[in-house]
Each structure stands twice: as C-alpha cells, then as structure tokens.
Amino acid sequence: MFALDIGCGENPGPALRLAGQGYIVAAVENNPHVLREYRRRLLDGGGRDDASRITPIIADARFLPFKDSSFDLIISYYAFDWISILGDAEDLELASREITRSLKEGCTLIAHEYWDQGRVSREKLLRSAGLAVEVVEDDEIILIARKVGEVGDRMELSRGRKENELIH
C-alpha cells in the first residue's frame, strides 16, 4: 500500500503512523528548509524501522511527480489552507486535479482544514475534480474524499473515517 502526505511540513508523525500500519509513504513538501527539518526529525525519531518506509520529497502539490493512480491513501494536514494563503484559486484547482490524478480509483483523500470559510470552496473543487466528498466536523474540519469510477458509483466513505483514525 502506498500513501502520500502532501505538505508534510516539519512533522513526520502522520507518515510514521501510516508506515507503522504498513504503508510506504511519500512525504511531499515544497520548501527545502522545512523538508530538511522534517528529515532531521524523522532521523531523530529513535531510528524506528517505520522511518525506512518514508521518502521525503521536494515537490509542489500543483505538479506532483508521480504516475497516475499511484496512491491508496493521500493525507493533507492543512496543505489546502496554505495553498490558498500563498497562492490563488488556480493553484487550488491545480492541486485538486493533481491529487485526483495521483489517487487510485476507490481510494481515499483525508484533508484536514483550519477554516470553515474555505471548506465550501475546497469541497466544491474536490467534487469537480472527480471525488466524492464527505465533511466531518469535530475539533477541526476534515474532508474525506474518495475517487469514484467513471460510471459514477458513490462508494461508502466510512472506510475513510477509519483511515483517518489511523493517523490520529
């Protein structure tokens, strides 16, 4: 199983939890200084075997360097918020299309968001990019999306909720 952590920042925790569940994880960050700190924290994590299942990569969410349908799970902790702060609507659209392209059919995107204000536009973007979306609001806003087939079958999103529990 392959997972992608988009906008991993300096925190390898979510990727380590996924690696501990058997995923091979690509952790993407577009800032080389931030990714350097990520690598340091990953190595300082006690040399856990799980760290060997994680590959930090400098890349931009708008132009992901992966083949179509590469990932079984994609997670994003606030990356859409940062894209909207540092970029514009076109950047969010590009990132949404790239995420959809990189996700295997029937598989899940879990996106954590800060602000409800942007949730509606991101939900709409993800839907227009071909994902079935469910919004969960607890202490934060979580968008759980699944790539659906061309025939438009809407898959059960409860699996995405369970996958979200893996990384919390």
Side-chain angles (χ1 to χ4, degrees):
M1 296 184 302
F2 294 92
L4 174 62
D5 183 355
I6 293 183
C8 61
E10 297 177 346
N11 182 10
L16 283 167
R17 285 189 286 284
L18 288 173
Q21 296 293 323
Y23 284 92
I24 296 170
V25 183
V28 168
E29 174 59 49
N30 70 347
N31 183 321
H33 302 291
V34 171
L35 197 62
R36 186 177 308 119
E37 178 62 18
Y38 180 95
R39 284 186 176 115
R40 186 193 66 74
R41 290 181 182 189
L42 187 60
L43 294 174
D44 288 350
R48 296 174 40 179
D49 290 338
D50 297 339
S52 67
R53 301 176 65 85
I54 301 168
T55 303
I57 300 169
I58 295 174
D60 189 317
R62 299 170 302 166
F63 312 103
L64 293 172
F66 307 107
K67 293 179 182 178
D68 294 357
S69 302
S70 293
F71 296 99
D72 302 286
L73 175 65
I74 297 177
I75 63 171
S76 163
Y77 277 86
Y78 317 115
F80 282 107
D81 289 321
W82 283 107
I83 293 168
S84 67
I85 291 168
L86 300 173
D88 57 26
E90 183 180 345
D91 294 320
L92 282 168
E93 188 176 326
L94 285 168
S96 296
R97 283 198 309 251
E98 279 295 280
I99 288 167
T100 301
R101 182 189 64 74
S102 300
L103 190 62
K104 291 179 182 176
E105 187 172 317
C107 292
T108 306
L109 160 71
I110 301 170
H112 294 251
E113 299 289 330
Y114 281 123
W115 298 289
D116 187 53
Q117 186 177 14
R119 177 200 52 87
V120 173
S121 65
R122 285 189 266 298
E123 183 179 356
K124 183 178 176 183
L125 272 173
L126 292 171
R127 286 184 198 283
S128 70
L131 299 174
V133 181
E134 177 181 345
V135 178
V136 178
E137 295 189 44
D138 278 333
D139 296 337
E140 61 186 331
I141 300 159
I142 304 168
L143 291 123
I144 299 174
R146 183 167 314 265
K147 188 172 182 178
V148 295
E150 290 182 22
V151 293
D153 56 326
R154 299 294 171 193
M155 301 183 77
E156 176 60 43
L157 293 175
S158 63
R159 185 175 123 205
R161 284 194 206 110
K162 290 176 187 165
E163 289 167 328
N164 183 51
E165 292 170 9
L166 290 177
I167 55 177
H168 266 20

